[in-house]
Amino acid sequence: MSHYTLDAKRLMCPMPVIRTQDKVAELQVGDTLEVTCTDPGALNDIPAWCRINGHELVSSSEEKGEVVITVKVGEA
Amino acid sequence: MVSTQRKAVALISGGLDSLLAAKAMMEQGVHVEGINFYTGFCVEGHTHAIRKKDKAKPKRNNALWVAEQLGIKLHIVDIIEEYKDVVINPSHGYGQHMNPCLDCKGFMVKKAHEWIEENGFDFIVTGEVIGQRPMSQRKDTMPVIARESGAGDLLVRPLCAQHLPATLPEQEGWIDREQMFDFSGRTRKPQMALAEKYGFEEYAQPAGGCCFLTDEKYSKKISDLWESRGVRDYEIDDIMLLKVGRHIRPKKHFKVIIGREEGENNFLSGYRKMFTSLKTTSHAGPLALLDSVNDEESDEDIELAAQIVARYSQGRTADKVEVEITNKQGVSRLIKVTPISPSQLDEDWHV
């Protein structure tokens, strides 16, 4: 299981979700992906995307205009 | 004999109709997954995040929300690049503004058709209702979409299926025509009644309003962009910037984009490496970008832009306002200008 990062800064939703979705499609079950965004809309959209597509939201935080969300790839 | 569960992909906009259409197929035992296309012009999503006053509102992507209500997967597809041809060269022309609704729907169904072929799905579902706006939902245009998209009789519109010829899924008995609907026209009552029957108490305001291209002011800004550049083309940053700020074009070869509030100023500041930017320093004021057809603006152009920006600062009535001009490389200089008078700020300059 590996850890990956994704820079989705300056992208407006739903682009951070699309980039997350496309990256996760390349990963293995159990891998984690840390996404950094500047659009706070991602705080709602990426967790919603995780719930409907069977991935786990490990953590999410917002600090100084940056949103960091970690996703664990599920059995989708 | 155990029958195979059929699989359909439903175009999910986030509105009520596509929610109901997908649900109607699930009720018939079909495995449904959602697909949502992002064109760059979708009102859904990003624009909520720009203006500060909107930040307090819940930021929800309605397509994701609908998928969650239905308990289905949602595939969001970025079609920004391919969609340009739809906007620039619509074979069926535009609607009231720059909205190429018929070509748009045909293109999305075509992409969905490609998707079902790649993913082993059986058919496509849309929430279209005959006789409802936009023009893609007229009785004479619905067959055009089925034909030009290549989807043909694999395109099922459950909400008005009983008005349309039987599709392959109906002919094959995968779904039952009698359990679909005969909605037509602009009334929303049948949809609301069906929503209630299915137990959906909350849904996004349905029908239309999901695309910036149906907006008159936005459409004018695109026309202005193409006219000034002499070419009908755009990049994603162009169409994002058209959603933000005041756009003032004092000369054919340049315009000034001025933030109207803090959220927009912050958004515009993300573009400072792509444009010359202006900010008043002697008085509080907005951030502005100078969007020029030429790579380098003349001192005369910059001075005029600075006078306009000064007009929108707290120093609008001052004799002189100091403006910081920063080029794309981040090199700044200060100039002092007299704010342009309201009479000079020609109404025709406002895009």
Side-chain angles (χ1 to χ4, degrees):
Chain A
M1 277 166 274
S2 311
H3 182 71
Y4 297 85
T5 57
L6 175 67
D7 181 355
K9 291 196 284 279
R10 281 195 61 230
L11 297 174
M12 306 302 275
C13 282
M15 285 309 295
V17 185
I18 296 176
R19 293 281 168 83
T20 302
Q21 166 193 269
D22 294 350
K23 183 70 185 171
V24 162
E26 300 168 5
L27 305 184
Q28 305 295 316
V29 174
D31 286 349
T32 48
L33 178 66
E34 182 183 299
V35 188
T36 308
C37 320
T38 44
D39 181 355
L43 278 171
N44 285 339
D45 291 355
I46 292 178
W49 177 83
C50 285
R51 288 194 299 274
I52 63 180
N53 289 292
H55 306 293
E56 184 188 335
L57 180 75
V58 177
S59 64
S60 72
S61 62
E62 183 179 15
E63 199 175 337
K64 292 178 187 168
E66 278 199 4
V67 173
V68 181
I69 298 171
T70 303
V71 174
K72 188 174 181 183
V73 181
E75 296 273 2
Chain B
M1 191 178 90
V2 179
S3 63
T4 313
Q5 187 185 29
R6 293 292 167 177
K7 296 199 283 187
V9 72
L11 273 69
I12 298 290
S13 66
L16 177 60
D17 292 353
S18 50
L19 165 73
L20 296 174
K23 179 68 175 172
M25 293 294 90
M26 295 167 73
E27 289 284 299
Q28 293 206 30
V30 177
H31 171 86
V32 177
E33 294 187 15
I35 194 164
N36 174 262
F37 296 105
Y38 180 60
T39 64
F41 296 102
C42 307
V43 173
E44 196 60 47
H46 47 71
T47 48
H48 304 307
I50 298 175
R51 300 195 73 167
K52 196 179 182 209
K53 70 180 178 64
D54 294 335
K55 281 189 194 286
K57 294 179 189 167
K59 286 172 282 289
R60 177 175 88 180
N61 178 302
N62 280 310
L64 284 167
W65 184 81
V66 159
E68 194 165 16
Q69 298 306 299
L70 290 166
I72 63 174
K73 288 188 179 180
L74 181 72
H75 310 275
I76 309 179
V77 185
D78 166 8
I79 55 168
I80 293 168
E81 278 302 313
E82 290 175 90
Y83 196 74
K84 283 183 185 174
D85 194 47
V86 177
V87 178
I88 295 167
N89 304 304
S91 59
H92 296 286
Y94 299 105
Q96 197 173 358
H97 301 297
M98 294 289 281
N99 44 317
C101 293
L102 186 49
D103 287 81
C104 174
K105 184 56 92 129
F107 180 74
M108 288 185 179
V109 174
K110 175 172 165 256
K111 298 301 294 178
H113 186 233
E114 290 169 7
W115 191 92
I116 64 167
E117 290 191 326
E118 286 164 16
N119 292 278
F121 276 53
D122 299 301
F123 63 101
I124 301 157
V125 176
T126 71
E128 290 165 289
V129 170
I130 206 158
Q132 186 169 266
R133 294 180 79 182
M135 62 178 173
S136 57
Q137 300 186 90
R138 292 198 316 244
K139 184 152 191 160
D140 59 325
T141 55
M142 282 192 154
V144 174
I145 292 169
R147 185 174 65 243
E148 294 188 357
S149 66
D153 60 4
L154 294 178
L155 176 58
V156 177
R157 286 111 161 185
L159 301 187
C160 61
Q162 291 174 5
H163 289 298
L164 300 170
T167 58
L168 186 79
E170 292 164 79
Q171 292 166 18
E172 293 292 323
W174 303 342
I175 53 173
D176 177 10
R177 186 179 180 83
E178 295 307 310
Q179 292 182 56
M180 295 195 285
F181 305 96
D182 63 349
F183 300 172
S184 70
R186 296 186 188 179
T187 173
R188 307 294 299 161
K189 284 180 185 165
Q191 284 94 322
M192 289 174 183
L194 188 60
E196 193 178 345
K197 182 187 161 194
Y198 286 151
F200 296 120
E201 290 171 359
E202 189 199 339
Y203 37 83
Q205 278 306 308
C210 63
C211 176
F212 271 106
L213 294 170
T214 60
D215 182 87
E216 182 181 2
K217 286 181 182 169
Y218 190 85
S219 296
K220 277 186 182 164
K221 286 180 186 165
I222 295 189
S223 298
D224 167 76
L225 187 80
W226 288 348
E227 200 176 306
S228 64
R229 291 184 182 173
V231 56
R232 291 162 60 89
D233 199 2
Y234 62 81
E235 298 301 328
I236 183 70
D237 285 323
D238 293 324
I239 61 177
M240 296 296 284
L241 283 168
L242 293 185
K243 298 167 187 171
V244 179
R246 291 174 214 282
H247 291 237
I248 297 172
R249 183 178 296 285
K251 302 271 166 134
K252 192 183 174 193
H253 63 276
F254 79 90
K255 70 174 172 180
V256 189
I257 306 170
I258 304 173
R260 290 173 293 191
E261 43 85 273
E262 190 187 336
E264 289 193 343
N265 290 338
N266 290 340
F267 181 77
L268 292 176
S269 73
Y271 286 90
R272 295 179 78 164
K273 286 182 183 164
M274 292 168 65
F275 297 92
T276 296
S277 58
L278 303 95
K279 181 96 178 71
T280 52
T281 50
S282 56
H283 300 77
L287 181 73
L289 303 178
L290 203 167
D291 182 2
S292 173
V293 174
N294 310 323
D295 270 349
E296 291 299 326
E297 301 86 11
S298 68
D299 285 347
E300 194 185 332
D301 292 344
I302 288 172
E303 182 163 345
L304 179 54
Q307 287 186 284
I308 294 168
V309 175
R311 181 72 218 161
Y312 288 96
S313 76
Q314 295 295 323
R316 61 179 65 89
T317 57
D319 285 342
K320 289 285 178 189
V321 171
E322 191 175 62
V323 183
E324 184 182 54
I325 314 292
T326 306
N327 68 15
K328 294 173 214 170
Q329 289 75 39
V331 180
S332 298
R333 65 191 168 97
L334 295 170
I335 62 171
K336 281 187 180 168
V337 294
T338 305
I340 199 162
S341 70
S343 60
Q344 285 175 288
L345 191 58
D346 198 314
E347 265 307 303
D348 289 346
W349 290 0
H350 289 267
V351 179

